[in-house]
Amino acid sequence: MNITELTVHELQEKLENKEITLTEITKAYIDRINSKENDVQAFVTTLTDEALKKAEEIQNKKENEEITGEFAGIPIGIKDNICTKGVKTTCSSKMLENFVAPYNATVIEKLNEQNIINLGKLNMDEFAMGGSTEYSYFKKTRNPWNLNKVPGGSSGGSAAAVAANMVPWALGSDTGGSIRQPSSFCGVVGLKPTYGLVSRYGLVAFASSLDQIGPITKDVRDSSILLNLIVGHDEKDTTSVEMQKKDYTKALKNDVNGLKIGVPKEFFGEGINEEVKEALKKAIEKYKELGAKIEEFSLDISKYSLAAYYIIACAEASSNLGRFDGIRYGYRAKEYKNLKELYKKSRSEGFGEEVKRRIILGTYVLSSGYYDAYYKKAQKVRTLVMKEFNKGFEKYDVILTPTSPTVAFDIGSKTNNPLEMYLADICTVSVNVAGLPGISIPVGVDKQGMPIGMQLIGNKFQEETILNAAYTLEQQIKFRENYKPSF
């Protein structure tokens, strides 16, 4: 039995049957990190010694019945833009290279209450700005399916660590597809919850009206379990929604008979790789066999969503990153003559090229004379996108699209062409613009053996619907049984 290949619910079952111990689980993951980190480069900070010590403590307490938490002692990896008290939270930036968070994000507090063990902080595109995890200040994470390919981004470290069995599950953040796209590239499951369902308190902000923390897991059941652990109203986050607590695992009924699935033709047009289309057509046929009602329809928003997204996201990034000025915290330039030079040098030296590009673009669209022409117009387009989705959900329970137009691309192939990199988000950004839930599940591989992801979009707070639709197809395709990373 290879412990690190098991899902969390399989680990928990073996723990209950006393087939393995928490110490054995944690040690297996630590050994895996030690043997594979040089290849994958998924971690910014590892907490292996602390994790093993904590596992031993929790194991003893469980044996003495001092701890009864269902998932107590299960390890996890955390994206490095989620604050963890006493541990570096760098956002993979030189600007925060030595920043140690003085408090925990709400999601971390929730995991701590369950005695879940943090194995370390995972690499990402700097300040979550990117789609390949090549914009990290520290290292370029590699895709476990092919080490010459990108893992996607910005949660590339999280997706790669789960795919490489270095962590059983992980937390990522999604601003325009940053959980779903890397999950698609790495052949794992990525869930972006409805905006407001999971607290953003303690998530270092990129674009506050778009950001959302969510799970990256090996299968859909684990995704629903981790969602259960992190949801809930939080007074410290004014956008957090107060609603009745649900058990998302109860939604996994393995039945889609009568489910109405809308397939927007615009998401299967020009620019979508033929092998991606073919894999999704097979998934659609499988849904039909299972009794789902499939219908093609028009959702003519993709080209507008992308433009609106980049204007809104860059504007909010420009505002949010204004706090990193070399004075309060973060990187400070060594030599400067006056206050203006301190600001300029600290920000010029502390931020990477992609972050600077987005700050400049965001400052421009918010500037006097351009605010109405760009930012205000983008917000109007956002309303139109929401209305188009609302129309779609009057007829359909779920909307099905590719997660990404392509499979994972070669490292270095798009870094010199920012616009090409931005276009890779075309299938995912509209979900964030409209504040909807979306899940990516692997549905096959291309001729080179790289994973292909399918996205299911639900109406607001209808996570159960997309989780069940994803789970039902997953049981049919059996991706994890049929396909594995080569390394």
Side-chain angles (χ1 to χ4, degrees):
M1 175 183 63
N2 187 338
I3 288 173
T4 62
E5 287 186 2
L6 300 174
T7 62
V8 170
H9 58 89
E10 287 166 345
L11 288 173
Q12 200 229 349
E13 199 176 302
K14 291 194 179 298
L15 280 168
E16 273 184 17
N17 297 334
K18 297 194 166 30
E19 293 174 50
I20 51 175
T21 66
L22 290 173
T23 313
E24 285 171 335
I25 292 171
T26 305
K27 189 157 189 334
Y29 277 104
I30 290 169
D31 290 345
R32 182 75 178 170
I33 291 166
N34 290 338
S35 70
K36 296 297 179 185
E37 173 58 13
N38 282 342
D39 294 323
V40 181
Q41 301 280 296
F43 283 85
V44 175
T45 304
T46 54
L47 300 169
T48 50
D49 291 344
E50 299 91 327
L52 193 56
K53 189 180 172 188
K54 195 168 179 187
E56 287 165 356
E57 285 173 13
I58 294 170
Q59 181 66 42
N60 289 333
K61 285 182 178 177
K62 277 195 106 169
E63 285 168 7
N64 297 327
E65 296 184 351
E66 293 172 43
I67 287 180
T68 54
E70 207 176 352
F71 301 98
I74 298 288
I76 195 168
I78 306 292
K79 186 176 178 180
D80 206 21
N81 60 346
I82 299 171
C83 286
T84 40
K85 188 176 181 180
V87 178
K88 278 186 186 180
T89 301
T90 70
C91 293
S92 290
S93 176
K94 183 179 181 180
M95 181 61 80
L96 290 175
E97 186 176 4
N98 298 306
F99 174 67
V100 176
Y103 69 99
N104 279 323
T106 296
V107 289
I108 301 299
E109 289 290 347
K110 285 178 178 288
L111 296 179
N112 287 346
E113 283 167 17
Q114 298 293 324
N115 290 291
I116 286 171
I117 297 169
N118 185 1
L119 279 171
K121 306 298 290 291
L122 295 159
N123 198 30
M124 55 185 280
D125 285 299
E126 184 183 2
F127 282 103
M129 297 181 196
S132 64
T133 314
E134 293 173 281
Y135 296 127
S136 166
Y137 171 67
F138 301 106
K139 54 180 74 171
K140 285 180 172 65
T141 300
R142 295 172 182 273
N143 193 316
W145 291 78
N146 181 334
L147 296 174
N148 296 315
K149 305 276 187 187
V150 301
S154 63
S155 306
S158 297
V162 174
N165 295 324
M166 294 157 82
V167 295
W169 53 8
L171 284 184
S173 69
D174 193 311
T175 307
S178 290
I179 285 172
R180 290 158 289 149
Q181 185 250 31
S183 296
S184 173
F185 282 9
C186 292
V188 293
V189 176
L191 173 66
K192 181 256 168 205
T194 306
Y195 184 79
L197 187 66
V198 177
S199 172
R200 290 183 301 107
Y201 179 76
L203 173 69
V204 179
F206 162 16
S208 306
S209 73
L210 301 163
D211 297 339
Q212 191 62 74
I213 295 169
I216 295 176
T217 59
K218 292 177 183 177
D219 71 358
V220 177
R221 182 171 290 281
D222 279 2
S223 200
S224 61
I225 291 167
L226 189 46
L227 186 63
N228 277 347
L229 299 180
I230 61 173
V231 297
H233 179 250
D234 180 16
E235 289 179 356
K236 296 193 280 291
D237 174 7
T238 55
T239 60
S240 172
V241 175
E242 198 160 358
M243 57 187 292
Q244 194 175 349
K245 189 109 175 171
K246 300 173 182 177
D247 179 359
Y248 292 99
T249 60
K250 287 182 177 170
L252 312 181
K253 292 172 182 164
N254 198 6
D255 178 15
V256 290
N257 191 31
L259 187 77
K260 295 172 191 165
I261 301 176
V263 180
K265 59 187 178 188
E266 289 83 4
F267 284 76
F268 288 82
E270 194 183 337
I272 307 296
N273 177 283
E274 287 304 318
E275 289 182 77
V276 171
K277 286 183 196 174
E278 201 53 44
L280 263 68
K281 279 176 188 169
K282 285 180 184 172
I284 288 166
E285 286 307 312
K286 190 61 75 177
Y287 272 130
K288 284 180 182 173
E289 286 172 28
L290 296 167
K293 295 173 182 174
I294 312 282
E295 191 175 294
E296 192 176 76
F297 76 111
S298 180
L299 188 68
D300 190 17
I301 55 163
S302 53
K303 57 181 184 237
Y304 307 114
S305 296
L306 193 67
Y309 166 79
Y310 273 101
I311 289 169
I312 294 165
C314 292
E316 293 184 12
S318 165
S319 176
N320 279 326
L321 270 61
R323 71 194 73 177
F324 303 109
D325 54 13
I327 292 178
R328 283 168 279 194
Y329 53 87
Y331 175 81
R332 177 183 285 199
K334 303 284 184 292
E335 295 175 15
Y336 51 89
K337 292 172 188 165
N338 52 45
L339 186 62
K340 190 175 178 181
E341 200 172 284
L342 168 64
Y343 287 153
K344 185 179 176 181
K345 280 193 170 183
S346 297
R347 288 170 69 80
S348 297
E349 293 167 18
F351 290 132
E353 292 304 310
E354 181 60 25
V355 173
K356 285 189 267 197
R357 186 182 291 122
R358 298 200 193 194
I359 289 172
I360 290 165
L361 180 58
T363 305
Y364 176 79
V365 300
L366 288 175
S367 61
S368 178
Y370 296 101
Y371 179 90
D372 286 357
Y374 293 104
Y375 185 71
K376 193 174 176 183
K377 199 171 281 183
Q379 291 289 13
K380 286 179 179 177
V381 171
R382 182 181 211 166
T383 304
L384 292 175
V385 170
M386 289 177 181
K387 283 180 179 173
E388 283 300 305
F389 270 116
N390 287 341
K391 267 194 234 168
F393 287 120
E394 283 171 13
K395 287 182 77 176
Y396 310 110
D397 304 307
V398 172
I399 292 170
L400 185 156
T401 75
T403 307
S404 172
T406 66
V407 294
F409 45 87
D410 290 340
I411 290 170
S413 63
K414 293 190 179 184
T415 45
N416 293 325
N417 190 339
L419 287 177
E420 200 179 332
M421 189 81 85
Y422 296 169
L423 284 167
D425 295 334
I426 198 155
C427 298
T428 52
V429 293
S430 55
V431 174
N432 299 76
V433 169
L436 302 170
I439 191 169
S440 174
I441 64 164
V443 291
V445 297
D446 73 353
K447 284 172 191 158
Q448 275 75 48
M450 296 306 293
I452 294 168
M454 180 188 79
Q455 177 176 230
L456 296 169
I457 305 166
N459 206 348
K460 285 186 179 179
F461 304 107
Q462 294 301 310
E463 274 76 6
E464 300 103 310
T465 309
I466 58 171
L467 282 165
N468 181 54
Y471 175 75
T472 306
L473 188 67
E474 181 185 71
Q475 301 309 299
Q476 295 290 319
I477 291 174
K478 299 191 184 303
F479 182 86
R480 289 183 64 247
E481 291 174 30
N482 296 320
Y483 309 103
K484 281 185 172 60
S486 55
F487 107 135

